[in-house]
Amino acid sequence: MEDGELVGSVRAYQEDETCYIGKLMVHPDFQNKGIGKALMNEIERQFNVKRFELFTGSKSEKNISFYEKLGYAGYKTEKLEREETIFIFMEKLAKTGTTAS
């Protein structure tokens, strides 16, 4: 939030030892200011899991680069039924010895 306006958001849920991250968004006027990175860091801090997983469009070069800078790597691509877009699934292994507080 900035001045009462929502400028960024992310959702995540845990299933077994994986945190699935989705719907990361930052308002265009507030992009490239570290908000997305801060949101991702907070998700990773909140979940005590072995791995994190997310997906994005395979042609979304800016998104892919952003996630790679945060330590995520692509491990598969998939075309979902009724979708034209091919998605790249990315994962990051959690640092060992850390716990969420």
Coordinates of all heavy atoms in Angstrom, one line a residue:
M1 N 0.9 -1.2 0.0 CA 0.0 0.0 0.0 C 0.9 1.2 0.0 O 1.9 1.3 0.7 CB -0.9 0.0 1.2 CG -1.8 -1.2 1.4 SD -3.2 -1.2 0.2 CE -4.2 0.1 0.7
E2 N 0.5 2.2 -0.8 CA 1.1 3.5 -0.7 C 0.1 4.6 -0.8 O -0.7 4.6 -1.8 CB 2.1 3.6 -1.9 CG 3.0 4.9 -1.7 CD 4.2 4.9 -2.6 OE1 5.0 3.9 -2.5 OE2 4.4 5.9 -3.3
D3 N 0.1 5.4 0.2 CA -1.0 6.5 0.3 C -2.4 5.9 0.1 O -3.2 6.5 -0.6 CB -0.7 7.6 -0.8 CG 0.6 8.3 -0.5 OD1 1.0 8.5 0.6 OD2 1.2 8.7 -1.5
G4 N -2.6 4.8 0.8 CA -4.0 4.2 0.7 C -4.3 3.5 -0.6 O -5.4 3.0 -0.7
E5 N -3.3 3.4 -1.5 CA -3.6 2.7 -2.8 C -2.8 1.4 -2.8 O -1.6 1.3 -2.5 CB -3.1 3.6 -3.9 CG -3.3 3.0 -5.3 CD -2.8 3.9 -6.4 OE1 -2.3 5.0 -6.2 OE2 -2.8 3.5 -7.6
L6 N -3.5 0.4 -3.3 CA -2.9 -0.9 -3.5 C -1.9 -0.8 -4.7 O -2.3 -0.5 -5.8 CB -3.9 -2.0 -3.7 CG -3.4 -3.4 -3.9 CD1 -2.7 -3.9 -2.7 CD2 -4.5 -4.4 -4.3
V7 N -0.6 -1.1 -4.4 CA 0.4 -1.0 -5.5 C 1.0 -2.3 -5.8 O 1.7 -2.5 -6.9 CB 1.5 0.1 -5.2 CG1 0.8 1.5 -5.1 CG2 2.2 -0.3 -4.0
G8 N 0.8 -3.3 -5.0 CA 1.4 -4.6 -5.2 C 0.7 -5.7 -4.4 O 0.2 -5.4 -3.3
S9 N 0.7 -6.9 -5.0 CA 0.1 -8.0 -4.3 C 0.7 -9.3 -4.8 O 1.2 -9.4 -5.9 CB -1.4 -8.0 -4.6 OG -2.1 -9.1 -4.1
V10 N 0.6 -10.3 -3.9 CA 1.0 -11.7 -4.3 C 0.2 -12.7 -3.5 O -0.2 -12.4 -2.4 CB 2.5 -11.9 -4.1 CG1 3.0 -11.8 -2.7 CG2 3.0 -13.2 -4.8
R11 N -0.1 -13.8 -4.1 CA -0.8 -14.9 -3.4 C 0.1 -16.1 -3.4 O 0.9 -16.4 -4.3 CB -2.1 -15.3 -4.1 CG -3.1 -14.2 -4.0 CD -4.5 -14.6 -4.4 NE -4.5 -15.1 -5.8 CZ -5.6 -15.4 -6.4 NH1 -6.8 -15.3 -5.8 NH2 -5.6 -15.9 -7.6
A12 N -0.1 -16.9 -2.3 CA 0.7 -18.2 -2.3 C 0.0 -19.2 -1.3 O -0.8 -18.7 -0.5 CB 2.1 -18.0 -1.8
Y13 N 0.2 -20.4 -1.5 CA -0.4 -21.4 -0.6 C 0.6 -22.6 -0.6 O 1.5 -22.8 -1.5 CB -1.7 -21.9 -1.1 CG -1.7 -22.7 -2.4 CD1 -1.7 -24.1 -2.4 CD2 -1.8 -22.1 -3.6 CE1 -1.7 -24.8 -3.6 CE2 -1.8 -22.8 -4.8 CZ -1.7 -24.1 -4.8 OH -1.7 -24.9 -5.9
Q14 N 0.5 -23.4 0.5 CA 1.4 -24.5 0.7 C 0.7 -25.8 0.5 O -0.4 -26.0 1.0 CB 2.0 -24.4 2.1 CG 3.0 -25.6 2.4 CD 3.6 -25.4 3.8 OE1 3.7 -24.4 4.4 NE2 4.2 -26.5 4.2
E15 N 1.3 -26.7 -0.2 CA 0.8 -28.1 -0.3 C 2.0 -29.0 -0.1 O 3.0 -28.9 -0.9 CB 0.2 -28.3 -1.7 CG -0.6 -29.5 -1.8 CD -1.3 -29.6 -3.2 OE1 -2.3 -28.8 -3.3 OE2 -1.0 -30.4 -4.0
D16 N 2.0 -29.8 0.9 CA 3.1 -30.7 1.3 C 4.3 -29.8 1.5 O 4.2 -28.8 2.3 CB 3.4 -31.7 0.2 CG 2.2 -32.7 0.0 OD1 1.6 -33.0 1.1 OD2 1.9 -33.1 -1.1
E17 N 5.4 -30.0 0.9 CA 6.7 -29.3 1.1 C 6.9 -28.2 0.0 O 8.0 -27.7 -0.1 CB 7.9 -30.2 1.2 CG 7.8 -31.1 2.4 CD 7.9 -30.4 3.7 OE1 8.7 -29.4 3.8 OE2 7.2 -30.8 4.7
T18 N 5.9 -27.8 -0.7 CA 6.0 -26.8 -1.8 C 5.1 -25.6 -1.5 O 3.9 -25.8 -1.2 CB 5.7 -27.4 -3.2 OG1 6.6 -28.5 -3.4 CG2 5.8 -26.4 -4.3
C19 N 5.6 -24.5 -1.7 CA 4.9 -23.2 -1.7 C 4.6 -22.8 -3.2 O 5.5 -22.7 -3.9 CB 5.6 -22.1 -1.0 SG 4.8 -20.5 -1.1
Y20 N 3.3 -22.8 -3.5 CA 2.9 -22.4 -4.9 C 2.6 -20.9 -4.9 O 1.7 -20.4 -4.2 CB 1.7 -23.2 -5.4 CG 2.0 -24.6 -5.5 CD1 1.8 -25.5 -4.4 CD2 2.6 -25.1 -6.7 CE1 2.1 -26.9 -4.5 CE2 2.9 -26.5 -6.8 CZ 2.7 -27.3 -5.7 OH 3.0 -28.7 -5.8
I21 N 3.3 -20.1 -5.7 CA 3.2 -18.7 -5.8 C 2.5 -18.3 -7.0 O 2.7 -18.8 -8.1 CB 4.6 -18.0 -5.8 CG1 5.4 -18.4 -4.5 CG2 4.5 -16.5 -5.9 CD1 6.8 -18.0 -4.6
G22 N 1.5 -17.4 -6.9 CA 0.7 -17.0 -8.0 C 0.2 -15.5 -7.9 O 0.2 -15.0 -6.8
K23 N -0.1 -15.0 -9.0 CA -0.7 -13.6 -9.0 C 0.1 -12.5 -8.4 O -0.4 -11.6 -7.8 CB -2.1 -13.7 -8.3 CG -3.1 -14.7 -8.8 CD -3.5 -14.4 -10.2 CE -4.6 -15.4 -10.6 NZ -4.9 -15.3 -12.0
L24 N 1.4 -12.6 -8.7 CA 2.3 -11.5 -8.3 C 2.0 -10.3 -9.3 O 2.0 -10.5 -10.5 CB 3.8 -11.8 -8.4 CG 4.7 -10.7 -8.2 CD1 4.7 -10.1 -6.8 CD2 6.2 -11.1 -8.6
M25 N 1.7 -9.2 -8.7 CA 1.4 -8.0 -9.6 C 1.9 -6.8 -8.9 O 1.9 -6.7 -7.6 CB -0.1 -7.9 -9.9 CG -1.0 -7.5 -8.8 SD -1.0 -5.7 -8.8 CE -2.1 -5.3 -7.5
V26 N 2.4 -5.9 -9.7 CA 2.8 -4.5 -9.2 C 2.2 -3.5 -10.2 O 2.4 -3.7 -11.4 CB 4.3 -4.4 -9.1 CG1 4.7 -3.0 -8.7 CG2 4.9 -5.4 -8.1
H27 N 1.5 -2.5 -9.7 CA 0.9 -1.5 -10.5 C 2.0 -0.9 -11.4 O 3.1 -0.6 -11.0 CB 0.3 -0.4 -9.6 CG -0.4 0.6 -10.4 ND1 0.1 1.6 -11.1 CD2 -1.8 0.8 -10.5 CE1 -0.8 2.4 -11.7 NE2 -2.0 1.9 -11.3
P28 N 1.7 -0.7 -12.7 CA 2.7 -0.2 -13.6 C 3.5 1.1 -13.2 O 4.7 1.2 -13.4 CB 2.0 0.0 -14.9 CG 0.8 -0.9 -14.8 CD 0.4 -1.0 -13.4
D29 N 2.8 2.0 -12.5 CA 3.4 3.2 -12.1 C 4.4 3.0 -10.9 O 5.2 3.9 -10.6 CB 2.4 4.2 -11.5 CG 1.4 4.7 -12.7 OD1 1.8 4.5 -13.9 OD2 0.4 5.3 -12.3
F30 N 4.4 1.8 -10.4 CA 5.3 1.5 -9.2 C 6.3 0.3 -9.5 O 7.0 -0.1 -8.6 CB 4.4 1.1 -8.0 CG 3.6 2.3 -7.5 CD1 2.3 2.5 -8.0 CD2 4.1 3.1 -6.6 CE1 1.6 3.6 -7.6 CE2 3.4 4.2 -6.1 CZ 2.1 4.4 -6.6
Q31 N 6.4 -0.1 -10.8 CA 7.3 -1.1 -11.1 C 8.7 -0.6 -11.1 O 9.0 0.6 -11.2 CB 6.9 -1.7 -12.5 CG 5.6 -2.5 -12.4 CD 5.2 -3.1 -13.7 OE1 5.9 -3.0 -14.7 NE2 4.1 -3.8 -13.7
N32 N 9.7 -1.6 -11.0 CA 11.1 -1.3 -10.9 C 11.5 -0.4 -9.7 O 12.5 0.3 -9.8 CB 11.6 -0.6 -12.2 CG 11.3 -1.5 -13.4 OD1 11.6 -2.7 -13.4 ND2 10.6 -0.9 -14.4
K33 N 10.8 -0.6 -8.6 CA 11.1 0.1 -7.4 C 11.3 -0.9 -6.2 O 11.4 -0.5 -5.1 CB 10.0 1.1 -7.0 CG 9.8 2.2 -8.0 CD 8.7 3.1 -7.6 CE 8.6 4.2 -8.7 NZ 7.7 5.3 -8.3
G34 N 11.5 -2.2 -6.5 CA 11.7 -3.2 -5.5 C 10.5 -3.8 -4.8 O 10.7 -4.6 -3.9
I35 N 9.3 -3.4 -5.3 CA 8.1 -3.9 -4.6 C 7.9 -5.4 -4.9 O 7.6 -6.1 -4.0 CB 6.9 -3.1 -5.1 CG1 7.0 -1.6 -4.5 CG2 5.6 -3.7 -4.6 CD1 6.0 -0.7 -5.1
G36 N 8.1 -5.8 -6.1 CA 7.9 -7.2 -6.5 C 8.9 -8.1 -5.7 O 8.6 -9.1 -5.2
K37 N 10.2 -7.6 -5.7 CA 11.2 -8.3 -5.0 C 10.9 -8.4 -3.5 O 11.0 -9.5 -2.9 CB 12.6 -7.6 -5.2 CG 13.7 -8.3 -4.5 CD 15.0 -7.6 -4.8 CE 16.2 -8.3 -4.0 NZ 17.4 -7.7 -4.3
A38 N 10.4 -7.3 -2.9 CA 10.0 -7.4 -1.5 C 8.9 -8.3 -1.2 O 8.9 -9.1 -0.2 CB 9.7 -6.0 -1.0
L39 N 7.9 -8.4 -2.1 CA 6.8 -9.3 -2.0 C 7.2 -10.7 -2.1 O 6.8 -11.6 -1.3 CB 5.7 -9.0 -3.0 CG 4.9 -7.7 -2.8 CD1 4.1 -7.4 -4.1 CD2 4.0 -7.8 -1.6
M40 N 8.1 -11.0 -3.0 CA 8.6 -12.4 -3.2 C 9.5 -12.8 -2.0 O 9.4 -13.9 -1.5 CB 9.4 -12.5 -4.5 CG 8.6 -12.4 -5.7 SD 7.5 -13.8 -5.9 CE 8.6 -15.1 -6.3
N41 N 10.3 -11.9 -1.5 CA 11.1 -12.2 -0.3 C 10.2 -12.5 0.9 O 10.5 -13.4 1.7 CB 12.1 -11.0 0.0 CG 13.2 -10.9 -1.0 OD1 13.5 -11.9 -1.7 ND2 13.8 -9.7 -1.1
E42 N 9.1 -11.7 1.1 CA 8.2 -12.0 2.2 C 7.5 -13.3 2.1 O 7.4 -14.0 3.1 CB 7.2 -10.8 2.3 CG 6.3 -10.9 3.5 CD 7.1 -10.8 4.8 OE1 8.2 -10.3 4.9 OE2 6.5 -11.3 5.9
I43 N 7.1 -13.7 0.9 CA 6.5 -15.0 0.7 C 7.5 -16.1 1.1 O 7.2 -17.0 1.8 CB 6.1 -15.2 -0.8 CG1 4.8 -14.4 -1.1 CG2 5.8 -16.7 -1.1 CD1 3.6 -14.8 -0.4
E44 N 8.8 -16.0 0.6 CA 9.8 -17.0 0.9 C 10.1 -17.0 2.4 O 10.4 -18.0 3.0 CB 11.0 -16.7 0.1 CG 10.8 -17.0 -1.4 CD 12.0 -16.6 -2.2 OE1 13.1 -16.3 -1.7 OE2 11.9 -16.7 -3.5
R45 N 9.9 -15.9 3.1 CA 10.2 -15.8 4.6 C 9.0 -16.5 5.3 O 9.2 -17.1 6.4 CB 10.3 -14.4 5.0 CG 10.8 -14.2 6.4 CD 10.9 -12.8 6.8 NE 9.6 -12.2 7.1 CZ 8.9 -12.4 8.1 NH1 9.3 -13.2 9.1 NH2 7.7 -11.8 8.3
Q46 N 7.8 -16.3 4.8 CA 6.6 -16.8 5.5 C 6.4 -18.3 5.5 O 5.8 -18.8 6.4 CB 5.4 -16.1 4.9 CG 5.2 -14.6 5.2 CD 4.9 -14.4 6.7 OE1 4.2 -15.1 7.3 NE2 5.4 -13.3 7.2
F47 N 6.9 -18.9 4.4 CA 6.7 -20.4 4.3 C 7.9 -21.2 4.6 O 9.0 -20.9 4.0 CB 6.2 -20.6 2.8 CG 4.8 -20.2 2.6 CD1 4.6 -18.9 2.1 CD2 3.7 -21.1 2.7 CE1 3.3 -18.4 1.9 CE2 2.4 -20.6 2.5 CZ 2.2 -19.3 2.1
N48 N 7.8 -22.1 5.4 CA 8.9 -23.0 5.8 C 8.7 -24.3 5.0 O 8.1 -25.3 5.4 CB 8.8 -23.3 7.3 CG 10.0 -24.2 7.7 OD1 11.0 -24.2 7.1 ND2 9.9 -24.8 8.9
V49 N 9.2 -24.3 3.8 CA 9.0 -25.4 2.8 C 10.4 -25.8 2.2 O 11.4 -25.1 2.4 CB 8.0 -25.0 1.7 CG1 6.6 -24.8 2.2 CG2 8.5 -23.8 0.9
K50 N 10.4 -26.8 1.4 CA 11.6 -27.3 0.7 C 11.8 -26.6 -0.6 O 12.9 -26.5 -1.1 CB 11.6 -28.8 0.5 CG 11.7 -29.5 1.9 CD 11.8 -31.0 1.6 CE 12.0 -31.7 3.0 NZ 12.0 -33.2 2.9
R51 N 10.6 -26.2 -1.2 CA 10.8 -25.6 -2.6 C 9.6 -24.6 -2.8 O 8.6 -24.7 -2.2 CB 10.8 -26.6 -3.7 CG 9.6 -27.4 -3.9 CD 9.8 -28.5 -4.9 NE 9.8 -28.1 -6.3 CZ 8.7 -27.9 -7.0 NH1 7.5 -28.1 -6.5 NH2 8.8 -27.5 -8.3
F52 N 9.9 -23.7 -3.7 CA 8.9 -22.7 -4.2 C 8.7 -23.0 -5.7 O 9.6 -23.3 -6.4 CB 9.4 -21.3 -3.9 CG 9.6 -21.0 -2.5 CD1 10.8 -21.2 -1.9 CD2 8.6 -20.5 -1.7 CE1 11.0 -21.0 -0.6 CE2 8.8 -20.2 -0.4 CZ 10.0 -20.4 0.2
E53 N 7.4 -22.8 -6.1 CA 7.1 -23.0 -7.5 C 6.1 -21.9 -8.0 O 5.3 -21.4 -7.3 CB 6.4 -24.4 -7.7 CG 6.1 -24.6 -9.2 CD 5.4 -26.0 -9.3 OE1 5.9 -27.0 -8.7 OE2 4.4 -26.1 -10.1
L54 N 6.3 -21.5 -9.3 CA 5.5 -20.5 -9.9 C 5.5 -20.8 -11.4 O 6.3 -21.6 -11.9 CB 5.9 -19.1 -9.6 CG 7.4 -18.7 -9.9 CD1 7.5 -18.3 -11.3 CD2 7.8 -17.6 -9.0
F55 N 4.6 -20.1 -12.1 CA 4.7 -20.2 -13.6 C 4.4 -18.8 -14.2 O 3.8 -17.9 -13.5 CB 3.8 -21.2 -14.1 CG 2.3 -21.0 -13.9 CD1 1.5 -20.3 -14.9 CD2 1.6 -21.5 -12.8 CE1 0.2 -20.1 -14.7 CE2 0.3 -21.3 -12.6 CZ -0.4 -20.6 -13.5
T56 N 4.8 -18.6 -15.4 CA 4.6 -17.4 -16.1 C 4.6 -17.7 -17.6 O 5.0 -18.8 -18.0 CB 5.7 -16.3 -15.8 OG1 5.3 -15.1 -16.4 CG2 7.1 -16.7 -16.3
G57 N 4.1 -16.8 -18.4 CA 4.1 -17.1 -19.9 C 5.5 -17.2 -20.4 O 6.5 -16.5 -20.0
S58 N 5.7 -18.2 -21.3 CA 7.1 -18.5 -21.8 C 7.7 -17.3 -22.6 O 8.9 -17.2 -22.8 CB 7.1 -19.7 -22.7 OG 6.3 -19.6 -23.8
K59 N 6.8 -16.4 -23.1 CA 7.3 -15.2 -23.9 C 7.4 -14.0 -23.0 O 7.8 -12.9 -23.5 CB 6.3 -14.9 -25.0 CG 6.3 -16.0 -26.1 CD 5.4 -15.7 -27.2 CE 5.4 -16.8 -28.2 NZ 4.5 -16.5 -29.4
S60 N 7.2 -14.1 -21.7 CA 7.3 -13.0 -20.7 C 8.7 -12.8 -20.3 O 9.0 -13.2 -19.1 CB 6.3 -13.2 -19.6 OG 5.0 -13.3 -20.0
E61 N 9.5 -12.3 -21.2 CA 11.0 -12.2 -20.9 C 11.3 -11.4 -19.7 O 12.2 -11.8 -18.9 CB 11.7 -11.7 -22.1 CG 11.7 -12.6 -23.3 CD 12.3 -12.0 -24.6 OE1 13.0 -11.0 -24.4 OE2 12.1 -12.6 -25.6
K62 N 10.6 -10.3 -19.4 CA 10.8 -9.5 -18.3 C 10.5 -10.3 -17.0 O 11.3 -10.2 -16.0 CB 10.0 -8.2 -18.3 CG 10.2 -7.2 -17.3 CD 9.4 -6.0 -17.5 CE 9.7 -5.0 -16.3 NZ 8.8 -3.8 -16.5
N63 N 9.4 -11.0 -17.0 CA 9.0 -11.8 -15.8 C 10.0 -12.9 -15.6 O 10.5 -13.1 -14.4 CB 7.6 -12.4 -15.9 CG 6.5 -11.4 -15.9 OD1 6.7 -10.3 -15.5 ND2 5.3 -11.8 -16.2
I64 N 10.4 -13.6 -16.6 CA 11.4 -14.7 -16.5 C 12.7 -14.2 -15.9 O 13.3 -14.8 -15.0 CB 11.6 -15.4 -17.8 CG1 10.3 -16.2 -18.2 CG2 12.7 -16.4 -17.8 CD1 10.2 -16.6 -19.6
S65 N 13.2 -13.1 -16.5 CA 14.4 -12.5 -16.0 C 14.3 -12.1 -14.5 O 15.2 -12.3 -13.7 CB 14.8 -11.3 -16.8 OG 15.9 -10.6 -16.3
F66 N 13.2 -11.5 -14.1 CA 13.0 -11.1 -12.7 C 13.1 -12.3 -11.8 O 13.8 -12.3 -10.8 CB 11.6 -10.5 -12.6 CG 11.1 -10.2 -11.2 CD1 11.7 -9.2 -10.4 CD2 10.1 -11.0 -10.6 CE1 11.3 -9.0 -9.1 CE2 9.7 -10.8 -9.3 CZ 10.3 -9.8 -8.6
Y67 N 12.4 -13.4 -12.2 CA 12.4 -14.6 -11.3 C 13.8 -15.2 -11.3 O 14.2 -15.7 -10.2 CB 11.3 -15.6 -11.7 CG 9.9 -15.1 -11.5 CD1 9.0 -15.0 -12.6 CD2 9.5 -14.6 -10.3 CE1 7.7 -14.6 -12.4 CE2 8.2 -14.1 -10.1 CZ 7.3 -14.1 -11.1 OH 6.0 -13.7 -11.0
E68 N 14.5 -15.2 -12.4 CA 15.8 -15.8 -12.4 C 16.7 -15.0 -11.5 O 17.6 -15.6 -10.8 CB 16.4 -15.8 -13.9 CG 15.7 -16.9 -14.7 CD 16.2 -16.9 -16.2 OE1 16.7 -15.8 -16.7 OE2 16.0 -17.9 -16.8
K69 N 16.6 -13.7 -11.5 CA 17.4 -12.9 -10.6 C 17.2 -13.3 -9.1 O 18.0 -13.1 -8.2 CB 17.2 -11.4 -10.8 CG 17.8 -10.9 -12.1 CD 17.5 -9.5 -12.3 CE 17.9 -9.0 -13.7 NZ 17.5 -7.7 -14.0
L70 N 16.0 -13.8 -8.8 CA 15.6 -14.2 -7.5 C 16.0 -15.6 -7.2 O 15.7 -16.1 -6.1 CB 14.1 -14.0 -7.2 CG 13.6 -12.5 -7.3 CD1 12.1 -12.5 -7.1 CD2 14.3 -11.7 -6.2
G71 N 16.6 -16.3 -8.1 CA 17.1 -17.7 -7.9 C 16.2 -18.8 -8.4 O 16.4 -19.9 -8.2
Y72 N 15.2 -18.4 -9.2 CA 14.2 -19.4 -9.8 C 14.8 -19.9 -11.1 O 15.4 -19.1 -11.8 CB 12.8 -18.8 -10.0 CG 12.1 -18.6 -8.7 CD1 12.4 -17.5 -7.8 CD2 11.2 -19.5 -8.2 CE1 11.8 -17.4 -6.6 CE2 10.5 -19.4 -7.0 CZ 10.8 -18.3 -6.2 OH 10.2 -18.1 -5.0
A73 N 14.5 -21.1 -11.4 CA 15.0 -21.7 -12.7 C 13.8 -22.5 -13.3 O 13.1 -23.2 -12.6 CB 16.2 -22.6 -12.5
G74 N 13.7 -22.4 -14.6 CA 12.7 -23.1 -15.3 C 13.0 -24.6 -15.3 O 14.1 -25.0 -15.4
Y75 N 11.9 -25.4 -15.1 CA 12.1 -26.8 -15.2 C 11.1 -27.6 -16.1 O 11.3 -28.7 -16.4 CB 12.0 -27.4 -13.7 CG 10.7 -27.5 -13.1 CD1 9.9 -28.6 -13.2 CD2 10.2 -26.4 -12.5 CE1 8.6 -28.7 -12.7 CE2 8.9 -26.4 -11.9 CZ 8.2 -27.5 -12.0 OH 6.9 -27.6 -11.4
K76 N 10.1 -26.9 -16.6 CA 9.2 -27.5 -17.6 C 8.4 -26.4 -18.3 O 8.2 -25.3 -17.7 CB 8.3 -28.6 -17.0 CG 7.2 -28.1 -16.2 CD 6.3 -29.2 -15.7 CE 5.1 -28.7 -15.0 NZ 4.1 -29.7 -14.6
T77 N 7.9 -26.7 -19.5 CA 7.0 -25.9 -20.1 C 5.7 -26.7 -20.4 O 5.8 -27.9 -20.5 CB 7.5 -25.3 -21.5 OG1 7.9 -26.4 -22.3 CG2 8.7 -24.4 -21.3
E78 N 4.6 -26.0 -20.5 CA 3.3 -26.7 -20.6 C 2.3 -25.8 -21.3 O 2.2 -24.6 -20.9 CB 2.8 -27.1 -19.3 CG 1.6 -28.0 -19.3 CD 1.2 -28.5 -17.9 OE1 2.1 -28.8 -17.1 OE2 0.0 -28.6 -17.6
K79 N 1.6 -26.3 -22.2 CA 0.5 -25.6 -22.9 C -0.8 -26.1 -22.2 O -1.1 -27.3 -22.3 CB 0.4 -25.8 -24.4 CG -0.6 -25.0 -25.0 CD -0.5 -25.1 -26.5 CE -1.5 -24.1 -27.2 NZ -2.7 -24.7 -27.7
L80 N -1.5 -25.2 -21.5 CA -2.7 -25.6 -20.8 C -3.9 -25.7 -21.8 O -3.9 -25.0 -22.8 CB -3.0 -24.6 -19.7 CG -1.9 -24.5 -18.6 CD1 -2.4 -23.5 -17.6 CD2 -1.6 -25.8 -18.0
E81 N -4.8 -26.6 -21.5 CA -5.9 -26.8 -22.4 C -6.7 -25.5 -22.5 O -6.9 -24.7 -21.5 CB -6.8 -27.9 -21.8 CG -7.8 -28.4 -22.7 CD -8.6 -29.6 -22.1 OE1 -8.0 -30.5 -21.5 OE2 -9.8 -29.6 -22.3
R82 N -7.2 -25.2 -23.7 CA -7.9 -24.0 -24.0 C -7.1 -22.7 -23.9 O -7.7 -21.6 -23.9 CB -9.2 -23.9 -23.2 CG -10.2 -25.0 -23.4 CD -11.4 -24.7 -22.7 NE -12.1 -25.9 -22.3 CZ -12.8 -26.1 -21.2 NH1 -12.9 -25.1 -20.3 NH2 -13.3 -27.2 -20.9
E83 N -5.8 -22.8 -23.8 CA -5.0 -21.6 -23.7 C -4.0 -21.6 -24.9 O -3.6 -22.6 -25.4 CB -4.1 -21.6 -22.4 CG -4.9 -21.5 -21.2 CD -5.4 -20.0 -20.9 OE1 -4.7 -19.1 -21.4 OE2 -6.4 -19.9 -20.2
E84 N -3.8 -20.4 -25.4 CA -2.8 -20.2 -26.5 C -1.4 -20.1 -26.0 O -0.4 -20.5 -26.6 CB -3.1 -19.0 -27.3 CG -4.4 -19.1 -28.1 CD -4.4 -20.2 -29.1 OE1 -3.4 -20.4 -29.8 OE2 -5.5 -20.9 -29.2
T85 N -1.3 -19.6 -24.7 CA 0.0 -19.4 -24.1 C 0.7 -20.6 -23.7 O 0.0 -21.5 -23.1 CB -0.1 -18.4 -22.9 OG1 -0.8 -17.2 -23.4 CG2 1.2 -18.1 -22.3
I86 N 2.0 -20.7 -23.9 CA 2.8 -21.8 -23.3 C 3.4 -21.2 -22.0 O 3.9 -20.1 -22.0 CB 3.9 -22.3 -24.3 CG1 3.3 -22.9 -25.5 CG2 4.8 -23.2 -23.6 CD1 4.2 -23.2 -26.6
F87 N 3.3 -21.9 -20.9 CA 3.7 -21.5 -19.6 C 5.1 -22.1 -19.3 O 5.3 -23.3 -19.6 CB 2.7 -21.8 -18.6 CG 1.4 -21.0 -18.7 CD1 0.4 -21.6 -19.4 CD2 1.4 -19.7 -18.3 CE1 -0.8 -20.8 -19.5 CE2 0.2 -19.0 -18.4 CZ -0.9 -19.5 -19.0
I88 N 5.9 -21.4 -18.7 CA 7.2 -22.0 -18.1 C 7.0 -22.1 -16.6 O 6.6 -21.1 -16.0 CB 8.4 -21.1 -18.5 CG1 9.7 -21.8 -17.9 CG2 8.3 -19.7 -18.1 CD1 11.0 -21.2 -18.5
F89 N 7.2 -23.2 -16.1 CA 7.2 -23.5 -14.7 C 8.6 -23.3 -14.1 O 9.5 -23.9 -14.6 CB 6.6 -24.9 -14.4 CG 5.1 -25.0 -14.6 CD1 4.6 -25.0 -15.9 CD2 4.2 -24.9 -13.6 CE1 3.3 -25.1 -16.2 CE2 2.8 -25.0 -13.8 CZ 2.4 -25.1 -15.1
M90 N 8.7 -22.6 -13.0 CA 10.0 -22.3 -12.4 C 9.9 -22.7 -10.9 O 8.9 -22.7 -10.3 CB 10.3 -20.8 -12.5 CG 10.2 -20.3 -14.0 SD 10.6 -18.5 -14.1 CE 12.4 -18.6 -14.1
E91 N 11.1 -23.1 -10.4 CA 11.2 -23.5 -9.1 C 12.5 -22.9 -8.4 O 13.4 -22.5 -9.1 CB 11.2 -25.0 -8.9 CG 12.4 -25.7 -9.5 CD 12.4 -27.2 -9.3 OE1 11.5 -27.7 -8.6 OE2 13.2 -27.8 -10.0
K92 N 12.4 -22.9 -7.1 CA 13.6 -22.5 -6.3 C 13.6 -23.4 -5.1 O 12.6 -23.5 -4.4 CB 13.5 -21.0 -5.9 CG 14.6 -20.5 -5.0 CD 14.3 -19.0 -4.7 CE 15.4 -18.5 -3.8 NZ 15.2 -17.0 -3.6
L93 N 14.7 -24.0 -4.8 CA 14.8 -24.7 -3.6 C 15.1 -23.8 -2.4 O 15.8 -22.8 -2.5 CB 16.0 -25.7 -3.7 CG 15.8 -26.8 -4.8 CD1 17.0 -27.7 -4.8 CD2 14.5 -27.6 -4.7
A94 N 14.4 -24.1 -1.3 CA 14.6 -23.2 -0.1 C 16.0 -23.5 0.5 O 16.6 -24.5 0.3 CB 13.5 -23.6 0.9
K95 N 16.5 -22.4 1.1 CA 17.8 -22.5 1.8 C 17.6 -23.5 3.0 O 16.7 -23.3 3.7 CB 18.2 -21.2 2.3 CG 18.5 -20.2 1.1 CD 18.9 -18.8 1.6 CE 19.0 -17.9 0.5 NZ 19.2 -16.5 0.9
T96 N 18.5 -24.4 3.1 CA 18.5 -25.3 4.2 C 18.9 -24.6 5.5 O 19.7 -23.7 5.5 CB 19.4 -26.5 4.0 OG1 20.7 -26.1 3.8 CG2 18.9 -27.3 2.8
G97 N 18.2 -25.1 6.6 CA 18.6 -24.5 7.9 C 17.8 -23.3 8.3 O 18.1 -22.7 9.3
T98 N 16.9 -22.8 7.4 CA 16.1 -21.6 7.7 C 14.7 -22.0 8.1 O 14.2 -23.0 7.7 CB 16.1 -20.7 6.5 OG1 15.4 -21.3 5.4 CG2 17.5 -20.2 6.1
T99 N 14.2 -21.2 9.0 CA 12.8 -21.4 9.4 C 12.0 -20.1 9.3 O 12.6 -19.1 9.5 CB 12.7 -22.0 10.8 OG1 13.3 -21.1 11.7 CG2 13.3 -23.4 10.9
A100 N 10.7 -20.2 9.1 CA 9.9 -19.0 9.1 C 9.6 -18.7 10.5 O 9.5 -19.5 11.4 CB 8.6 -19.3 8.3
S101 N 9.6 -17.4 10.8 CA 9.3 -16.9 12.1 C 7.9 -16.3 12.2 O 7.3 -16.0 11.3 CB 10.3 -16.0 12.6 OG 10.6 -15.0 11.7

